[in-house]
Amino acid sequence: MSLGKRIREYRIKRGLTQMQLAAKLQMTEANISSYERDKSAPPSDKLSQLAEILNVTSDYLLSGISQPAPPKSLQDIGHELTEEQILTLAAHRIGHEGPLSGQELDQIKLALRIALAKK
């Protein structure tokens, strides 16, 4: 798997759009798109920021050989993500395509509240 594919994979796993990732890196969405399509590679300073945001090591992004950084606890993730990002991530995790119904959103919110309350 290429650098671009690893960036895309972990961006999606973290529930981020290209625009959101670009904003965190103070870059343009076109930069992120270019990285994900392997048209260019991020400079070293952005690579380390990217790895931190995606919660993987720079070595893993570059080579795919190292193990990803250990996942953060659900409590940590809950405090770092917006409600929209949490819902997007939850929808991706269950393989849902398209907009979520109001009932589905309520079920996801309830499950997350329960999970985050169990510390």
Side-chain angles (χ1 to χ4, degrees), residues 40-112:
S40 65
S44 60
D45 62 321
K46 294 298 182 183
L47 181 68
S48 63
Q49 289 177 336
L50 187 58
E52 186 175 323
I53 292 166
L54 298 178
N55 196 33
V56 296
T57 64
S58 298
D59 287 343
Y60 178 75
L61 285 178
L62 290 170
S63 67
I65 295 172
S66 302
Q67 293 296 318
K72 294 182 179 182
S73 73
L74 188 57
Q75 191 73 29
D76 292 339
I77 292 170
H79 290 294
E80 292 177 5
L81 300 177
T82 65
E83 183 173 312
E84 180 183 335
Q85 290 171 321
I86 290 171
L87 294 175
T88 300
L89 181 61
H92 282 292
R93 291 285 184 190
I94 61 172
H96 191 281
E97 298 272 334
L100 296 169
S101 71
Q103 182 180 5
E104 289 169 319
L105 288 171
D106 290 342
Q107 289 172 340
I108 292 170
K109 287 178 187 178
L110 177 61
L112 289 168

